[in-house]
Amino acid sequence: MEGGPHKADKTEFTECWRTSWKTPYIMRLAFSAGIGGLLFGYDTGVISGALLYIRDDFKAVDKHTWLQETIVSMAVAGAIFGAGFGGWFNDKYGRRKSILLADILFFIGAIVMSVAPAPWVIIIGRILVGLGVGMASMTSPLYISEASPARIRGALVSTNGLLITGGQFLSYLINLAFTRTKGTWRWMLGVAGVPALIQFFLMLSLPESPRWLYRENKKDEARAILEKIYPAHEVEDEMKALEISIEAEKADTQFLGAGIFSKVKSAWSNTVVRRGLYAGITVQVAQQFVGINTVMYYSPTIVQLAGFASNKTALALSLITSGLNAVGSIVSMCFVDRFGRRRLMIVSMFGIIACLVVLSVLFMQASSHAPPISAFESNHFGSNSTCSAFLKAPDASSWNCMSCLQSSSDCAFCSNGDNKYHPGACLALNDDVRGLCRSEKRAWYTKGCPSKFGFFAVLLLGMYIISYSPGMGTAPWIVNSEIYPLRYRGIGGGIAAVANWVSNLIVSESFLTLTEAIGSAGTFLLFAGFSAIGLVAIFFLVPETKGLQFEEVEKMLEKGYKPKLFRKKTSEKTADAS
């Protein structure tokens, strides 16, 4: 996900455990900053469950999919600006103050959402939380990287990525815990303020990044912190390393220019960097357009589309996706250096495409086999309770559950009292009629219909996550940390990250609208098409960077990358011509 994990091999994790055991202060630094990743993960996961209950409390939200999409995606929009503002704030005031400000924004946003009297107030809270998420997503790994020993840096930064997926899983557990509590979604969203408050007070007792202090000519303070992190005989070497690094950074600023536009212009005019950006932006955009954040943001809604009416059941089944995503992050950390980034992404994309196509077929079958509408069942609750669109329809006798739900935003399906797969009623969507339906122990459906294919759809969602997480989940971030020349690494990675956030916003803002316009089956088939385009782009544009020095990557891009299959054909033609 955004702010992604950095590579770390098995040896580094072993060394990390040993070093942290000997010097607990290091783990304290990493854990305190890593809560930012937990907050990031929690926010992306919690809204998926909270949205189910927000729809119940605010009828305008239930009737207008654009309002649901806005509530979800405004945090992403806030994160885009938060990441941009965070970059400036990091350089100006330091990493520690950036994390403290992110906590304040996150805490205020959580409180605003928890007491929101109207949907527009929830949106304001989501924007505030998004600003905090954007700042934390870039600052937490940066702080950990700069305040940890070089030999275990990759392992410690990788834990931030693990905490993101752990935060998503935690959010689903907390959502499930509050399903029977009065105020459901208010507690779900408000609880997010607790870890932000904990991190705020932990960071108050921690120092600034030694690298930032050194750059601000506070060398004595930087040395004092390094003495707490490194053995005494290594401190002087680290001070010299800092000096070399800062001098190189100043030289880069002079070369690239101080302004963001001059840096972007300089990067794009360089052939090697431009080819690196082709690869870096490709994998970041592909990561989002496979539809991953529709699953993370709307997972319970997708489960309801698959035929599970109960909010609690939808949340419980959604635990599968978040749990598998966390496991996939661990799998990736173990195999990405063994099998390579390019290979993992290509295999991952094949799995994603297969799952999305089968998922589309399942939703198509579920729609065509939806229970029919019975005029007798509908009239059972009284003519005033029947959906007006059904009463006016000239072909009402051919209607099924999906016809009812798709005909109007004011229609709902009440299942048959004896068997939910038998003919049911098409009723008006309001609280009184819903109460009548449920009083007879019938299920009330507003998103999807009773389906024998529902369980298989949930299994396919799980397989989709298994395919995505170890490959497309983490490898794009690793590629972007390796594909650019050292001088352009910051600006190159920043451009690719913005592409990721913007793609995330487009996908999250359009998912529910797409399901209404072309149906669930059509939406997943569309994502399969995007994934196929992404697979082709990765095959032709993204080189393997496993085990290569940065200089070797630069030379490879300077020549121009071609897949091995096409390189062989080219060399054979050249040999024949000679």
Side-chain angles (χ1 to χ4, degrees):
M1 302 289 285
E2 301 84 0
H6 293 230
K7 64 173 182 176
D9 60 27
K10 188 176 179 181
T11 305
E12 193 168 339
F13 280 105
T14 305
E15 180 64 23
C16 177
W17 173 254
R18 288 174 183 167
T19 305
S20 301
W21 184 260
K22 291 178 182 177
T23 316
Y25 186 73
I26 296 170
M27 187 53 70
R28 182 182 160 196
L29 285 171
F31 173 75
S32 299
I35 295 176
L38 186 77
L39 288 171
F40 180 11
Y42 186 89
D43 176 71
T44 56
V46 71
I47 193 61
S48 61
L51 188 63
L52 303 180
Y53 297 92
I54 292 172
R55 289 198 322 236
D56 289 344
D57 280 6
F58 299 112
K59 299 308 169 190
V61 177
D62 194 34
K63 289 184 178 181
H64 301 291
T65 53
W66 67 265
L67 200 48
Q68 296 174 42
E69 290 168 334
T70 301
I71 288 172
V72 171
S73 60
M74 277 305 98
V76 180
I80 295 172
F81 289 100
F85 171 75
W88 170 82
F89 197 90
N90 262 284
D91 288 339
K92 183 76 174 175
Y93 299 104
R95 293 39 165 149
R96 178 172 169 270
K97 288 180 181 177
S98 295
I99 292 175
L100 291 172
L101 179 58
D103 288 331
I104 292 170
L105 288 168
F106 209 103
F107 182 77
I108 293 173
I111 298 302
V112 168
M113 289 188 294
S114 67
V115 300
W120 66 267
V121 181
I122 300 176
I123 291 170
I124 290 174
R126 291 287 292 166
I127 292 172
L128 289 171
V129 164
L131 289 169
V133 163
M135 290 187 70
S137 69
M138 65 164 296
T139 309
S140 291
L142 186 63
Y143 180 86
I144 296 169
S145 177
E146 294 181 351
S148 58
R151 62 182 176 276
I152 62 168
R153 187 169 295 147
L156 287 177
V157 175
S158 292
T159 60
N160 183 70
L162 186 59
L163 282 169
I164 292 174
T165 53
Q168 290 170 338
F169 184 70
L170 177 66
S171 71
Y172 282 89
L173 286 175
I174 289 177
N175 280 349
L176 197 58
F178 284 117
T179 52
R180 295 187 180 277
T181 306
K182 187 178 180 181
T184 51
W185 62 270
R186 298 184 185 276
W187 285 103
M188 293 172 184
L189 298 175
V191 163
V194 175
L197 202 61
I198 292 170
Q199 185 180 43
F200 182 85
F201 286 109
L202 284 173
M203 291 305 298
L204 286 176
S205 63
L206 291 175
E208 182 51 78
S209 153
R211 178 184 175 81
W212 186 83
L213 289 170
Y214 194 99
R215 197 177 64 181
E216 296 296 309
N217 290 318
K218 298 179 180 180
K219 298 179 182 179
D220 291 338
E221 292 180 43
R223 180 185 290 273
I225 297 164
L226 291 175
E227 286 173 350
K228 292 182 178 181
I229 298 172
Y230 288 92
H233 65 278
E234 295 182 16
V235 173
E236 198 58 43
D237 290 339
E238 288 303 316
M239 288 293 288
K240 288 179 181 177
L242 271 181
E243 181 182 3
I244 294 169
S245 177
I246 298 299
E247 289 302 319
E249 185 180 300
K250 289 178 180 177
D252 288 347
T253 302
Q254 290 177 352
F255 179 80
L256 298 174
I260 184 66
F261 293 108
S262 62
K263 289 180 179 179
V264 171
K265 184 180 178 182
S266 176
W268 194 254
S269 62
N270 184 296
T271 304
V272 172
V273 180
R274 188 167 62 252
R275 287 170 176 165
L277 283 169
Y278 291 155
I281 293 173
T282 291
V283 294
Q284 293 287 34
V285 172
Q287 185 192 60
Q288 293 302 322
F289 273 88
V290 299
I292 180 57
N293 278 321
T294 63
V295 177
M296 300 317 298
Y297 296 152
Y298 299 106
S299 183
T301 301
I302 294 172
V303 171
Q304 287 189 332
L305 288 170
F308 296 92
S310 164
N311 286 349
K312 188 174 181 180
T313 302
L315 284 171
L317 290 173
S318 297
L319 276 171
I320 296 171
T321 59
S322 59
L324 289 172
N325 195 30
V327 172
S329 298
I330 299 171
V331 172
S332 176
M333 289 156 70
C334 296
F335 290 101
V336 72
D337 283 323
R338 181 179 298 179
F339 295 110
R341 298 88 167 98
R342 175 183 162 85
R343 184 183 298 177
L344 269 183
M345 286 190 291
I346 289 174
V347 172
S348 179
M349 288 296 266
F350 273 114
I352 287 167
I353 293 167
C355 289
L356 286 172
V357 170
V358 177
L359 203 55
S360 176
V361 172
L362 283 175
F363 274 102
M364 208 176 294
Q365 290 297 312
S367 178
S368 62
H369 291 84
I373 299 296
S374 163
F376 173 78
E377 286 288 325
S378 299
N379 292 330
H380 169 74
F381 294 95
S383 58
N384 290 335
S385 299
T386 305
C387 177
S388 58
F390 175 72
L391 293 173
K392 296 174 184 177
D395 58 341
S397 60
S398 64
W399 274 33
N400 65 12
C401 171
M402 289 305 298
S403 310
C404 173
L405 297 184
Q406 293 174 356
S407 65
S408 166
S409 60
D410 295 321
C411 293
F413 179 76
C414 181
S415 67
N416 189 287
D418 297 322
N419 188 319
K420 64 181 180 180
Y421 301 117
H422 288 174
C426 185
L427 304 179
L429 180 58
N430 61 59
D431 291 341
D432 292 335
V433 178
R434 180 178 64 180
L436 288 173
C437 174
R438 288 179 173 173
S439 68
E440 296 189 8
K441 307 296 182 184
R442 298 172 181 236
W444 180 256
Y445 294 85
T446 60
K447 296 296 176 185
C449 296
S451 171
K452 295 179 181 178
F453 300 96
F455 180 72
F456 296 104
V458 173
L459 284 179
L460 256 297
L461 278 177
M463 291 177 66
Y464 167 86
I465 292 293
I466 290 172
S467 299
Y468 167 86
S469 188
M472 289 305 297
T474 54
W477 295 99
I478 298 173
V479 167
N480 272 281
S481 72
E482 300 171 333
I483 200 72
Y484 311 109
L486 182 61
R487 179 170 282 172
Y488 293 92
R489 194 163 308 143
I491 189 67
I495 292 170
V498 169
N500 185 291
W501 280 111
V502 172
S503 303
N504 186 339
L505 179 62
I506 292 169
V507 170
S508 59
E509 183 65 39
S510 61
F511 175 68
L512 294 179
T513 301
L514 282 171
T515 59
E516 283 194 348
I518 59 176
S520 304
T523 302
F524 286 114
L525 198 59
L526 182 65
F527 283 129
F530 287 142
S531 300
I533 294 170
L535 173 61
V536 173
I538 289 171
F539 181 78
F540 283 104
L541 296 175
V542 183
E544 180 56 73
T545 56
K546 181 191 80 167
L548 297 179
Q549 298 294 327
F550 292 121
E551 293 78 11
E552 294 176 300
V553 175
E554 191 170 344
K555 287 179 182 178
M556 176 171 57
L557 291 175
E558 195 172 352
K559 294 177 182 176
Y561 174 73
K562 285 185 179 179
K564 192 178 291 185
L565 182 67
F566 290 86
R567 286 203 302 269
K568 286 180 180 178
K569 287 184 178 180
T570 305
S571 61
E572 285 172 6
K573 287 179 181 178
T574 305
D576 291 340
S578 62

